[in-house]
Amino acid sequence: DGVAAMEAEFLAPLDEQQLADIDAATAGGATTEIIASGTFTGQGMLEMTRKDVATMATGQWLNDEMVNFTIGCMAEREMRRSGGQQPRVHFFSTFFLNKLRGSGRYDYNAVRRWTTVKKLGYDVLECDKVIIPVHQGIHWVLAVIDLKAQCVSYLDSLLGVDRDLMVTLKRWVGDEFHNKREQAVDASEWTVHFPKDVPRQMNGCDCGVFMVKYADYIARGCPLTFHQRNMEYFRKRIVADAMANGVN
């Protein structure tokens, strides 16, 4: 069925080209050397260096640059799927929440222009879902705004909870409808989910990999059927996908 096919694709054995790309990305060289770059929907031009790829090694914490390049690849896949038209899913970068919650205060104006049709080429509020990577100090989690189901979810591989963030994101939804459509939408009553049946990390270093794979699976509409045992493969696959999408 469709789910089985998606699961198989997510965990497909790495082919010779992917392995060669991984070897090239992890070979010795200057840490500042740019080994992939690309222009991604919503983020513009991004570069991936050897220093960024080094965060994909076993036991390392993903940095913002690696997360954003990976999120960018997902956004481009979604744009290809939609034929360059209105996508089902919008992906924010890790910097979205930094701006929205800058200096500890909610500031919609700081991100107001991130989602104009002129900038993106589509209407964020027409998407089914908005996916937001969240850096909680030394821990990565994922927030998902489901605009169709009118709910906000917080996926944490350590099963944490952040109710303040949910309030912030619901406030953003209301402001976004008001700013872009001049519609009064009270999202404060939208449902909040902190699912406990998500794949869980069993160490102190894989939260970033779990987070980007939550995003990957959810964006494709695939159940979250992966495990801690898949993390070593995913670390390699993320590098291979980045190299395939980034032309340098």
Side-chain angles (χ1 to χ4, degrees):
D1 64 355
V3 169
M6 282 191 286
E7 290 173 335
E9 197 279 322
F10 276 128
L11 291 165
L14 298 168
D15 62 28
E16 288 187 19
Q17 182 60 59
Q18 289 172 311
L19 292 169
D21 285 344
I22 294 167
D23 285 344
T26 54
T31 57
T32 55
E33 182 186 350
I34 297 165
I35 50 177
S37 61
T39 302
F40 300 109
T41 301
Q43 293 197 70
M45 179 70 175
L46 296 180
E47 297 174 339
M48 184 175 75
T49 66
R50 291 198 182 281
K51 176 187 174 186
D52 303 327
V53 172
T55 71
M56 299 308 304
T58 302
Q60 299 299 306
W61 291 347
L62 277 65
N63 66 4
D64 280 275
E65 290 78 8
M66 200 68 222
V67 169
N68 286 329
F69 206 93
T70 303
I71 289 286
C73 292
M74 294 179 201
E76 290 313 296
R77 178 186 68 196
E78 177 62 17
M79 289 306 291
R80 288 193 298 271
R81 188 207 59 76
S82 68
Q85 304 300 310
Q86 176 69 42
R88 287 179 305 202
V89 182
H90 176 72
F91 298 86
F92 276 121
S93 74
T94 61
F95 304 121
F96 171 71
L97 274 179
N98 294 350
K99 289 287 188 182
L100 186 63
R101 302 190 295 187
S103 70
R105 291 199 314 273
Y106 178 87
D107 184 6
Y108 175 72
N109 275 330
V111 297
R112 176 171 53 87
R113 293 178 180 166
W114 287 37
T115 49
T116 61
V117 173
K118 182 177 180 181
K119 179 178 173 64
L120 295 177
Y122 60 85
D123 183 352
V124 166
L125 295 174
E126 281 295 314
C127 292
D128 293 344
K129 292 183 172 70
V130 177
I131 287 178
I132 306 156
V134 183
H135 202 187
Q136 299 279 39
I138 58 169
H139 185 54
W140 287 106
V141 300
L142 189 75
V144 180
I145 301 171
D146 190 324
L147 292 165
K148 302 301 181 193
Q150 298 190 344
C151 72
V152 185
S153 299
Y154 183 90
L155 291 88
D156 182 348
S157 52
L158 293 178
L159 304 186
V161 169
D162 185 343
R163 298 192 184 280
D164 289 343
L165 175 61
M166 301 292 95
V167 171
T168 294
L169 292 178
K170 290 194 287 185
R171 185 174 175 184
W172 172 83
V173 170
D175 285 342
E176 189 72 358
F177 271 101
H178 181 261
N179 179 258
K180 301 300 189 294
R181 296 188 176 180
E182 297 184 349
Q183 290 180 8
V185 173
D186 180 10
S188 65
E189 297 301 313
W190 284 21
T191 308
V192 169
H193 291 302
F194 297 100
K196 303 303 182 190
D197 57 347
V198 296
R200 295 180 61 182
Q201 72 183 95
M202 300 299 169
N203 59 26
C205 56
D206 281 331
C207 57
V209 187
F210 275 86
M211 183 272 289
V212 296
K213 284 298 157 180
Y214 290 156
D216 207 0
Y217 276 60
I218 288 169
R220 290 277 296 273
C222 186
L224 302 176
T225 52
F226 57 88
H227 303 276
Q228 174 70 56
R229 64 176 178 269
N230 302 128
M231 291 302 117
E232 283 304 302
Y233 167 81
F234 283 149
R235 283 178 176 270
K236 295 182 175 69
R237 175 70 181 269
I238 288 167
V239 174
D241 289 346
M243 292 293 281
N245 280 275
V247 180
N248 210 51

